[in-house]
Amino acid sequence: DIQMTQSPSTVSASVGDRVTITCRASQSLSRWLAWYQQKPGKAPKLLIYKASSLESGVPSRFSGSGSGTEFTLTISSLQPDDFATYYCQQYNSYPYTFGQGTKLEIK
Amino acid sequence: EVQLVESGGGLVKPGGSLRLSCAASGFTFSSYSMNWVRQAPGKGLEWVSSISSSSSDIYYADSVKGRFTISRDNAKNSLYLQMNSLRAEDTAVYYCASGGHIDYWGQGTLVTVSS
């Protein structure tokens, strides 16, 4: 099984800050990686697919990069609505696996 | 508008069974692979099972293999998860979700396994 490791587990930041979250895979995914945002009590929301493709309707301050085993999600200028938990997910092979999540908190 | 609406969750005793259903609308259900993803209280996301568009390919997480069965009815735009031999650790919100990168999610249905 492919293990996904996100870092950091928690990040404290302020509105306007640039934030980067990293996801590392235990083996190559090519570019079959997605990023999701989840708010308390809600279903996750797709932000990025195929490592760097922005889902329709997602603000352009979100961007993804990487390939192989190392990937990043960057939020260029944090907005109040962005404070949430973020997950990466590999869909290169079954079983699909998620990272453990990164909680983005207000500093 | 795309909708995935789960039903069938509830409280069940250890060893019991439940059948979850997911009604899909607003997209071509028969063209999509579908998944069940769960989230235990206060925990992260865990993929449970996937089924291809034609039901020809089915996959399970090791944690549910042999106990859970995924199925679909494309004529009814519906996805199912039969859960047998339930354990306390199966307690979670279960989401119906579409695709490899999951673009559509249901609102989730809570399954609680407790005596």
Side-chain angles (χ1 to χ4, degrees):
Chain A
D1 297 1
I2 299 175
Q3 309 304 316
M4 304 300 295
T5 305
Q6 277 183 245
S7 60
S9 297
T10 307
V11 57
S12 297
S14 302
V15 172
D17 284 354
R18 180 184 181 91
V19 170
T20 297
I21 299 168
T22 298
C23 185
R24 288 185 174 87
S26 60
Q27 57 187 272
S28 178
L29 308 178
S30 183
R31 293 176 62 80
W32 301 112
L33 183 107
W35 289 97
Y36 303 91
Q37 176 194 69
Q38 188 179 33
K39 297 182 178 179
K42 299 294 187 182
K45 172 187 174 183
L46 177 66
L47 301 175
I48 302 285
Y49 62 96
K50 216 177 286 184
S52 61
S53 295
L54 190 68
E55 174 69 352
S56 176
V58 174
S60 58
R61 62 181 180 273
F62 292 92
S63 64
S65 65
S67 65
T69 61
E70 187 150 339
F71 302 85
T72 59
L73 173 70
T74 299
I75 311 171
S76 60
S77 178
L78 274 173
Q79 299 303 301
D81 190 49
D82 299 338
F83 292 95
T85 300
Y86 293 83
Y87 294 93
C88 61
Q89 177 227 344
Q90 68 83 16
Y91 54 107
N92 178 75
S93 62
Y94 290 101
Y96 289 166
T97 42
F98 289 88
Q100 79 278 15
T102 295
K103 186 173 183 180
L104 179 50
E105 299 180 330
I106 301 174
K107 184 184 285 184
Chain B
E1 180 195 4
V2 170
Q3 280 200 308
L4 293 170
V5 180
E6 301 96 336
S7 60
L11 175 63
V12 62
K13 289 181 167 54
S17 298
L18 275 180
R19 189 192 195 210
L20 305 184
S21 299
C22 172
S25 61
F27 68 107
T28 308
F29 178 77
S30 58
S31 297
Y32 277 73
S33 64
M34 296 295 295
N35 312 277
W36 289 98
V37 176
R38 68 184 180 184
Q39 187 168 36
K43 302 298 184 182
L45 300 169
E46 180 187 16
W47 171 83
V48 172
S49 183
S50 295
I51 185 168
S52 63
S53 57
S54 65
S55 304
S56 59
D57 297 302
I58 288 175
Y59 304 91
Y60 297 100
D62 284 346
S63 57
V64 307
K65 201 173 294 183
R67 301 187 299 123
F68 290 11
T69 302
I70 191 172
S71 62
R72 66 190 295 163
D73 185 336
N74 287 343
K76 295 183 178 179
N77 286 348
S78 294
L79 177 72
Y80 307 101
L81 187 68
Q82 177 67 42
M83 303 187 295
N84 299 330
S85 304
L86 282 160
R87 306 167 180 167
E89 55 265 35
D90 295 319
T91 294
V93 173
Y94 284 73
Y95 293 103
C96 166
S98 66
H101 62 266
I102 300 171
D103 38 9
Y104 305 136
W105 296 75
Q107 84 288 352
T109 187
L110 177 62
V111 172
T112 303
V113 184
S114 175
S115 54

